[in-house]
């Protein structure tokens, strides 16, 4: 009887508070545990979520990299087109030498083939008769001089072509500087109308200029000429 009376309060408590109500309390108490190290079950449950969160930015970065417009690479600047004035004067002197050599070769070639053609076809005697018995030797001499002059004038045409082919890499810059140099020569050279035999114009076309220092000497000569003739030109390079 005593044991039965002692179990009655326990049965009444169990019937009033079933185990389903008491179970959440135990889990809540476990969640507020002071243990800082997570259990293996919690690590396994949290790991996929963390890796999924970390993988998202990489996908976004890859997508941005694929969709972003590619910027063209900057072209390296080359200093090969930079032509100084001293280099320009050196090339100008080279062009003049090539022109002179071409003129000499052209003059010799034209004279040789011209005289050969005249002698083989008998044009020297025909021309001598048409000119009223002109001396054939004098006629051949004058013809030789004329052919030499014609060949010398034709030579620079071929010389310029050779120069353009040999220095085609710097040809645009050389042409621009050549035009600018000629404009400066025209602007600063003296007036030849006031020249005389005692005071000739100093290097009117600037052919003797071979460097920057030579151009400065040319300017001094022009000023000296203007001082002698009483003419003063304004403007400096």
């Amino acid at each position: 009887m005593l044991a039965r009376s002692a179990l009655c309060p326990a049965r009444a408590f169990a019937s009033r508070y079933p185990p389903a109500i008491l179970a959440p309390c135990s889990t809540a108490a476990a969640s507020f545990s002071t243990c800082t190290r997570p259990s293996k079950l919690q690590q396994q449950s949290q790991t996929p979520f963390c890796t999924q969160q970390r993988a998202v930015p990489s996908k976004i970065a890859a997508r941005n990299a694929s969709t972003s417009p590619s910027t063209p690479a900057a072209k390296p600047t080359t200093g090969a087109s930079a032509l100084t004035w001293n280099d320009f004067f050196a090339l100008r002197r080279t062009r003049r030498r090539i022109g002179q050599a071409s003129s000499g070769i052209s003059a010799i070639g034209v004279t040789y083939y011209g005289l050969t053609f005249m002698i083989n076809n008998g044009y020297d005697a025909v021309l001598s008769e048409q000119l009223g018995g002109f001396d054939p030797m004098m006629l051949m001499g004058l013809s030789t001089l004329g052919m030499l002059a014609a060949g010398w004038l034709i030579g620079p045409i071929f010389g310029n072509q050779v120069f353009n082919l040999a220095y085609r890499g710097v040809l645009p810059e050389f042409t621009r500087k050549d035009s600018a140099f000629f404009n400066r020569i025209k602007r600063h050279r003296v007036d030849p109308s006031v020249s005389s035999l005692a005071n000739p114009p100093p290097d009117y076309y600037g052919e003797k200029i071979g460097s920057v220092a030579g151009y400065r000497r040319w300017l001094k000569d022009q000023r000296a000429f203007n001082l002698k003739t009483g003419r003063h030109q304004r403007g400096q390079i």
Side-chain angles (χ1 to χ4, degrees), residues 36-215:
T36 58
R37 184 176 182 180
S39 61
K40 292 183 179 181
L41 183 60
Q42 292 178 354
Q43 290 180 357
Q44 293 178 358
S45 62
Q46 293 178 359
T47 302
F49 180 73
C50 295
T51 55
Q52 186 177 1
Q53 284 183 344
R54 292 176 182 175
V56 170
S58 63
K59 291 181 180 179
I60 294 174
R63 184 178 299 175
N64 292 334
S66 62
T67 56
S68 61
S70 59
T71 57
K75 296 181 179 179
T77 57
T78 57
S81 60
L83 186 68
T84 62
W85 281 106
N86 286 325
D87 296 337
F88 163 75
F89 286 120
L91 289 176
R92 189 166 175 261
R93 184 166 53 251
T94 302
R95 184 183 63 177
R96 183 167 59 251
R97 291 175 180 175
I98 292 175
Q100 291 175 355
S102 300
S103 296
I105 295 172
S106 177
I108 294 173
V110 169
T111 304
Y112 174 77
Y113 286 105
L115 291 177
T116 302
F117 180 77
M118 287 182 64
I119 293 172
N120 292 336
N121 294 301
Y123 287 114
D124 53 343
V126 174
L127 290 175
S128 178
E129 292 178 0
Q130 290 180 355
L131 294 175
F134 194 77
D135 188 6
M137 295 301 296
M138 293 291 295
L139 180 63
M140 293 299 295
L142 294 175
S143 300
T144 301
L145 292 177
M147 293 176 186
L148 284 172
W152 183 268
L153 294 176
I154 295 174
I157 298 175
F158 301 101
N160 290 334
Q161 296 298 326
V162 173
F163 176 82
N164 294 339
L165 290 176
Y167 297 96
R168 58 182 177 273
V170 295
L171 187 61
E173 185 69 15
F174 176 80
T175 305
R176 187 182 66 82
K177 284 187 177 296
D178 192 20
S179 178
F181 176 73
F182 183 68
N183 292 331
R184 292 182 179 183
I185 292 296
K186 289 194 302 182
R187 186 169 65 250
H188 295 287
R189 65 188 177 187
V190 299
D191 186 8
S193 62
V194 296
S195 62
S196 62
L197 293 176
N199 190 22
D203 194 8
Y204 184 74
Y205 294 100
E207 294 293 334
K208 298 180 181 179
I209 300 174
S211 62
V212 177
Y215 176 73

